[in-house]
Amino acid sequence: VEVKKGDHMVSLYSPDLLSAQEELIQAVEAVKNLKDTGMSLIKDRAAATVEASREKLRRWGLNDEQIASIEVKKQPDKHITIFSPISGVVIHKHALEGEYVKTGSQIYTIADLSRVWIKLDAYESDLAWLHYGQEVEFSTEAFPGQSFLGKVAFIDPILNPKTRTVKVR
């Protein structure tokens, strides 16, 4: 499935995520309560705690709009929507709906297929005409009538003795 950056990927419940949201709400409230006090050191520490709480939620996968919404509502969300961090193609689904996932485990693998590698076998006799950085044009049976452009990024220095070819990327 093709996805764009910011597309809804999954909605999940996590007690740890709920706690992290609550930490942010309490930290924001502490900053507001200390606003009129003259204790600059404590105010600075409270402001640092707010920023640390925001960063913790960012690392959980929440975007800035979601974090701002939590601060405004002053209420944690029980289910959090995780959005796609990049545009690309979902190449693997690691979990199913309703399944328990551990912290740090992947739910989806998304690949940006706008740029890919192609590996070719070059015959030993053709090596004299190949060099690093050379522009190449090629076609495939999978896309008849289309040609693709690329650059040679790597030429394997070891010749396969059976096929008398080298890998070219």
Side-chain angles (χ1 to χ4, degrees), residues 6-45:
D7 281 356
H8 171 273
M9 294 298 295
V10 66
S11 178
L12 58 89
Y13 168 80
S14 165
D16 293 336
L17 193 50
L18 209 54
S19 296
Q21 293 176 74
E22 194 60 51
E23 285 174 25
L24 174 64
I25 293 165
Q26 290 175 8
V28 168
E29 285 301 312
V31 167
K32 286 181 184 176
N33 293 338
L34 293 169
K35 184 178 175 184
D36 297 326
T37 66
M39 299 180 276
S40 63
L41 180 63
I42 294 174
K43 287 195 303 191
D44 291 345
R45 295 255 170 119

Side-chain angles (χ1 to χ4, degrees), residues 2-10 61 63 81-90 108-111:
E2 194 169 323
V3 294
K4 291 184 176 68
K5 182 177 181 175
D7 281 356
H8 171 273
M9 294 298 295
V10 66
N63 60 35
T81 300
I82 304 298
F83 298 97
S84 177
I86 63 169
S87 294
V89 176
V90 176
Y108 291 105
T109 300
I110 302 170

Side-chain angles (χ1 to χ4, degrees), residues 100-165:
Y100 177 82
V101 290
K102 292 181 181 177
T103 302
S105 62
Q106 288 185 335
I107 299 172
Y108 291 105
T109 300
I110 302 170
D112 177 6
L113 299 180
S114 62
R115 294 177 59 126
V116 296
W117 286 353
I118 183 168
K119 291 185 179 182
L120 306 169
D121 288 327
Y123 291 111
E124 178 181 18
S125 59
D126 295 330
L127 290 178
W129 294 287
L130 295 174
H131 59 85
Y132 174 82
Q134 176 180 3
E135 290 194 7
V136 293
E137 183 177 345
F138 62 93
S139 59
T140 66
E141 290 180 17
F143 298 98
Q146 278 188 295
S147 61
F148 301 93
L149 299 175
K151 286 187 180 181
V152 174
F154 178 75
I155 301 173
D156 194 341
I158 300 172
L159 181 76
N160 182 326
K162 292 181 183 175
T163 62
R164 306 301 294 172
T165 62

